[in-house]
Amino acid sequence: MLRKLAVEKEEAFFERHSGIVFGALKKEGVLRSYPDYDDYVQQGLLKLVEAYETFPQDPEHPEFIYPFGGFAFRKVQWHIRDLRRNQYRIHSNESAWPEFMEENHPDTQPWFEENWLEMELFKEMLLLLTAKEQGYLIDAVVYQLTVTEIAQKNQVSRKTIYQWKKRIQQKLEHFLVFLKE
C-alpha cells in the first residue's frame, strides 16, 4: 500500500521520527564532523519518508508505531550503507598520493618536503579529491601556477578551474581547523 505524507503532517512526522535518521547515521559511523554529513542526513530523511509511504500497516496507529520505527531504521541504515559503499568504491579508484606524485609530478620543491606535517595533511586532503582535483591542488599549491596556467595545462576553461576550486573548498572545509592553528 502506497500512502503519501500530507503536508500538514510533515512537521509532526519529522519531529517524531527524525531521530531514526540520526541513529542510523551514528550506527553506520557517519559523525557530524564528516564532510558530507548534511548530505547523508538529507538522504536519510528521504528514505524515512519512503519508509512511511511503503510501510505495510498504518504507521500512525499506536499498535504499529514501534514496528514502523524498526522498519524505517533498517531502510535508512541500509541506504546509508549503500551510499558509503559507493563513495568508498569511487574513492578507492582515485589515484593515491605516492604513485601520483612520483609518476606525474616529480618533486622540484625541496621546501615543500621539509614541512612533513604539512605534507601529511596535504596527503589526507588529496585522498578526498578526484584525480583532476588532485592535479589542480598540486599545481596550485606545489607549483604555484595561476588559474590560467592550470587551465591551459589541463586544456579546460578557467570557469572549469574555478568550479574545481569551489568543489575542493567544500570538500576540504573541515581541514580549516588544522590550518588555522
Side-chain angles (χ1 to χ4, degrees), residues 29-48:
V30 180
L31 304 176
R32 289 185 190 271
S33 59
Y34 197 73
D36 296 329
Y37 181 78
D38 293 332
D39 294 334
Y40 283 111
V41 170
Q42 291 301 316
Q43 288 288 326
L45 291 172
L46 289 172
K47 272 299 169 184
L48 181 64

Side-chain angles (χ1 to χ4, degrees), residues 67-167:
F68 169 72
F71 175 81
F73 184 86
R74 280 191 308 277
K75 195 161 189 77
V76 170
Q77 182 184 15
W78 291 346
H79 182 65
I80 298 299
R81 190 174 293 168
D82 287 343
L83 290 173
R84 295 209 54 207
R85 280 186 193 136
N86 287 339
Q87 186 180 25
Y88 175 77
R89 183 181 41 80
I90 290 168
H91 179 69
S92 65
N93 289 336
E94 293 175 356
S95 46
W97 165 269
E99 296 83 20
F100 185 79
M101 284 299 289
E102 290 174 4
E103 293 172 10
N104 299 324
H105 298 282
D107 192 320
T108 58
Q109 304 278 341
W111 62 267
F112 199 71
E113 270 190 13
E114 292 175 8
N115 300 322
W116 67 271
L117 186 57
E118 291 174 5
M119 285 291 286
E120 291 300 315
L121 192 59
F122 195 68
K123 286 181 195 178
E124 290 180 31
M125 289 177 181
L126 286 178
L127 291 175
L128 298 173
L129 305 175
T130 65
K132 290 180 182 180
E133 292 168 346
Q134 289 175 357
Y136 165 79
L137 195 60
I138 291 167
D139 288 341
V141 174
V142 177
Y143 298 109
Q144 298 180 347
L145 299 178
T146 65
V147 171
T148 305
E149 293 170 333
I150 296 171
Q152 289 172 347
K153 180 180 176 184
N154 291 293
Q155 298 177 344
V156 296
S157 69
R158 288 170 39 101
K159 183 178 180 181
T160 303
I161 299 299
Y162 284 115
Q163 289 172 345
W164 290 353
K165 184 177 178 180
K166 185 177 180 181
R167 280 196 307 259

